[in-house]
């Protein structure tokens, strides 16, 4: 049955809307247990993860040829989180090289999914039940992911359940949320397709393309008066400058930062400028929201009921709470269509040492803002330079609202957009001195000033661009 005759029949707009309405109704039934699990005691969550892990491994062993081989030595009926190290890790390269053997529905061949993604002009179903997403990584391999009916509905709540829980505790009059997303509509990316599947008429939600001129974005926001402002931190930083200059006049109750690393200096500026909680999200096409902020403090709660997150060092050894990991092994417990088991993500996360309960009442473990992807590190021969070396002097110049650091063979070119003049030579000298200090021989740094940094179609600003 797995042949050319199984090609997809085109889904009409009517069919799409019918499927979507059914999907919204079904998603509503999944929300109460997901809200409930936010406050389960830690041991009950651990037990739940073990049950779900065994379920995932059984499905993977029975229906994924690639996983079957790798799980040959694992007793899936007794395995628990402490035995994970006995299971080999997988990378995005593994996934893309063996995609057809990883998926548990043989119709979902990579060429079929790629054709579906290539034809997307807006959100659409594949085989009337699946959703596909691609991660447009600014550096490294592109990843392709598929979600089944339940998984896609679960995915939307991973992003929204903390906000819903918070809103429920507020007076009814304040529960009407006007959400404005300053982002990018890329139909292949989960961040635009997922909200589109589940968008409802009674929710006031609007998207302003981040690629528009700043004045137009400001005008759109002044008109919409959002109670929740969602955006990339690099874009929110620019908007904070607009607010300080008196041009942007909004009073959001929540600022929500997505997609890019939320640098501590930007978090501070946003909180101070808007006087509202800054909620950060750690999302990935691999598992939707892996962690999300509750707004009480500068931390995020892991999705402790839906994923297993192993913070590890460069060599893959477990890293304890209080230490920043170099990368993460992720096991997505809720997607049985594309089993991701100990899947490597190059994000640097840090579990908080303090395991006291969060004042918000959620029991899920907390992490600090993830930052400085390994991919952002510049290497000059044997010398690795952490992005912080550039960030620190850049963040000291309050005039600079947006920047990109492009690695060059001998150093870097910094392109900055600023609200006023600053001493470019002094900035170049500071960064040059930093590079010399860590041993980069004869570093050379140029600083260029621009009105606006070019954003790719994804809208995401690549702050650090290593040499290819
Ligand atoms: Zn909390």
């Amino acid at each position: 049955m797995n042949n050319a005759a199984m090609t997809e029949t085109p889904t009409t707009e009517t069919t799409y809307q019918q499927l979507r309405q059914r999907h919204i109704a079904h998603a509503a039934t999944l929300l109460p247990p997901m809200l409930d699990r936010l406050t389960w005691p830690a041991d009950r969550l651990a037990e739940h993860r073990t049950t779900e892990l065994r379920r995932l491994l059984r499905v993977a062993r029975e229906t994924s040829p690639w996983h079957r081989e790798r799980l040959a030595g694992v007793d899936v009926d007794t395995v628990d989180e402490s035995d994970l190290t006995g299971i080999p890790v997988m990378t995005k390269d593994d996934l893309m090289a063996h995609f057809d053997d990883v998926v548990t529905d043989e119709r979902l061949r990579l060429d079929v999914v790629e054709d579906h993604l290539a034809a997307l002009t807006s959100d659409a179903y594949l085989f009337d039940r699946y959703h596909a997403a691609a991660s447009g990584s600014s550096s490294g391999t592109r990843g392709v992911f598929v979600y089944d009916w339940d998984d896609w509905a679960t995915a939307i709540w991973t992003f929204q359940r903390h906000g819903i829980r918070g809103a429920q505790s507020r007076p009814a009059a304040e529960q009407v949320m006007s959400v404005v997303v300053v982002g990018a509509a890329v139909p292949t990316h989960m961040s635009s397709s997922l909200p589109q599947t589940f968008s409802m008429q009674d929710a006031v939600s609007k998207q302003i393309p981040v690629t528009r001129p700043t004045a137009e974005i400001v005008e759109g926001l002044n008109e919409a008066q959002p109670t929740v402002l969602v955006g990339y931190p690099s874009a929110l930083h620019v908007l904070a400058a607009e607010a300080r200059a008196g041009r942007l006049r909004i009073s959001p109750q929540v600022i929500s930062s997505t997609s890019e690393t939320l640098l501590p200096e930007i978090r501070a500026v946003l909180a101070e400028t808007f006087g509202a909680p800054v909620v950060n999200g750690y999302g990935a096409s691999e598992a939707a929201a892996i962690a999300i902020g509750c707004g009480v403090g500068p931390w995020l709660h892991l999705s402790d009921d839906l994923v297993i997150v192993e913070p590890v060092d460069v060599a893959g050894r477990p890293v304890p709470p209080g230490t920043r990991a170099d990368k993460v092994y992720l096991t997505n417990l809720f997607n049985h269509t594309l089993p991701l088991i100990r899947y490597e993500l190059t994000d640097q996360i840090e579990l908080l040492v303090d395991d006291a309960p969060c004042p918000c009442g959620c029991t899920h473990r907390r992490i600090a803002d993830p930052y400085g992807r390994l991919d952002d590190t510049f290497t000059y021969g044997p010398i690795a330079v952490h992005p912080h070396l550039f960030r620190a002097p850049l963040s000291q110049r309050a005039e600079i609202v947006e920047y990109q650091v492009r690695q060059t063979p001998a150093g870097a070119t910094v392109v900055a957009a600023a609200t006023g003049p600053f001493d470019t030579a002094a900035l170049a000298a500071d960064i040059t001195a930093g590079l010399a200090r860590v041993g980069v021989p004869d570093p050379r740094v140029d600083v260029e000033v621009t009105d606006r940094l070019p954003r790719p179609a994804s809208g995401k600003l690549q702050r650090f661009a290593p040499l290819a």
Side-chain angles (χ1 to χ4, degrees):
M1 88 176 229
N2 188 5
N3 57 41
M6 282 301 301
T7 51
E8 196 194 357
T9 47
T11 309
T12 64
E13 176 61 20
T14 317
T15 315
Y16 170 73
Q17 290 302 342
Q18 284 167 347
L19 285 169
R20 206 174 74 78
Q21 292 307 326
R22 242 177 61 212
H23 215 166
I24 289 171
H26 180 66
T29 67
L30 300 182
L31 178 61
M34 282 185 67
L35 288 173
D36 200 32
R37 292 200 299 264
L38 287 176
T39 52
W40 277 10
D43 54 350
R44 190 170 174 200
L45 283 166
E47 202 177 298
H48 177 76
R49 283 195 298 273
T50 293
T51 306
E52 293 303 308
L53 175 65
R54 290 176 189 170
R55 249 164 39 85
L56 171 72
L57 296 185
R58 272 185 217 113
V59 170
R61 196 181 57 180
E62 282 157 24
T63 46
S64 158
W66 190 72
H67 280 300
R68 185 178 306 135
E69 205 174 297
R70 290 157 58 89
L71 294 171
V74 179
D75 183 350
V76 298
D77 296 317
T78 60
V79 73
D80 67 33
E81 281 179 281
S82 62
D83 304 323
L84 276 175
T85 48
I87 300 174
V89 301
M90 64 186 288
T91 63
K92 193 186 274 179
D93 288 338
D94 289 332
L95 170 67
M96 296 310 287
H98 305 281
F99 192 92
D100 295 356
D101 286 329
V102 175
V103 285
T104 59
D105 180 338
E106 62 183 6
R107 291 178 298 171
L108 297 169
R109 294 193 318 267
L110 184 58
D111 60 339
V112 172
V113 179
E114 288 280 27
D115 283 351
H116 170 79
L117 285 168
L120 286 181
T121 51
S122 65
D123 178 47
Y125 288 85
L126 174 60
F127 299 125
D128 287 351
R129 62 184 282 179
Y130 293 109
H131 271 88
S135 69
S137 177
S138 47
S139 54
T141 324
R142 175 171 175 274
V144 171
F145 307 92
V146 280
Y147 286 79
D148 203 352
W149 191 260
D150 275 20
D151 321 335
W152 195 245
T154 300
I156 189 73
W157 298 135
T158 66
F159 285 103
Q160 296 186 352
R161 62 177 165 170
H162 280 279
I164 290 169
R165 184 167 175 270
Q168 283 174 347
S169 65
R170 287 198 289 273
E174 289 173 25
Q175 286 182 21
V176 181
M177 299 207 283
S178 160
V179 183
V180 174
V181 182
V182 179
V186 184
T188 56
H189 201 271
M190 182 187 256
S191 62
S192 54
S193 54
L194 187 60
Q196 205 182 328
T197 309
F198 297 106
S199 70
M200 282 175 276
Q201 280 165 350
D202 55 344
V204 192
S205 190
K206 180 181 170 163
Q207 172 130 359
I208 301 177
V210 67
T211 42
R212 286 223 186 120
T214 301
E216 271 182 43
I217 297 175
V218 167
E219 194 188 321
L221 287 168
N222 282 338
E223 196 178 302
Q225 288 297 315
T227 54
V228 181
L229 174 62
V230 184
Y232 304 140
S234 59
L236 293 172
H237 198 202
V238 174
L239 293 173
E242 290 295 307
R244 285 197 307 278
R247 288 185 290 271
L248 177 63
R249 293 174 297 273
I250 56 171
S251 313
Q253 292 164 17
V254 177
I255 306 289
S256 173
S257 163
T258 64
S259 301
E260 300 165 353
T261 298
L262 175 59
L263 305 174
E265 54 270 19
I266 294 185
R267 183 188 260 279
V269 166
L270 294 177
E272 196 186 308
T273 305
F274 293 107
V278 179
V279 168
N280 191 12
Y282 169 33
S285 310
E286 284 83 351
I290 296 167
I292 204 121
C294 58
V296 171
W299 51 70
L300 301 82
H301 288 280
L302 287 173
S303 286
D304 259 343
D305 54 339
L306 297 167
V307 292
I308 295 176
V309 162
E310 301 171 72
V312 295
D313 66 12
V314 173
R317 289 172 301 224
V319 163
T323 306
R324 194 160 282 275
D326 294 308
K327 53 187 181 178
V328 168
Y329 294 149
L330 169 88
T331 300
N332 178 334
L333 298 170
F334 67 93
N335 185 345
H336 290 191
T337 306
L338 184 78
L340 300 179
I341 301 164
R342 306 198 80 214
Y343 176 99
E344 182 184 283
L345 290 173
T346 55
D347 297 309
Q348 300 184 321
I349 70 159
E350 179 184 335
L351 277 166
L352 299 194
V353 176
D354 178 15
D355 59 0
C358 180
C360 81
C362 176
T363 48
H364 293 206
R365 284 169 297 174
R366 288 177 288 166
I367 61 170
D369 286 320
Y371 73 77
R373 275 179 179 244
L374 270 185
D375 308 342
D376 288 341
T377 300
F378 290 177
T379 52
Y380 301 88
I383 296 155
V385 175
H386 191 277
H388 185 72
L389 188 144
F390 299 98
R391 273 174 41 203
L394 279 159
S395 66
Q396 283 156 10
R397 273 89 180 169
E399 303 83 11
I400 299 177
V401 289
E402 220 176 21
Y403 62 82
Q404 185 178 53
V405 185
R406 301 171 188 156
Q407 186 182 5
T408 58
T413 298
V414 176
V415 185
T419 53
F422 65 97
D423 188 341
T424 53
L427 174 61
D430 282 359
I431 297 173
T432 305
L435 288 171
R437 216 163 35 239
V438 296
V440 176
D442 303 320
R444 185 181 160 77
V445 175
D446 298 303
V447 176
E448 294 171 10
V449 178
T450 179
D451 286 343
R452 191 174 166 80
L453 285 160
R455 284 178 185 267
S458 74
K460 265 199 209 185
L461 180 67
Q462 189 188 3
R463 264 186 200 289
F464 297 93
L467 270 181

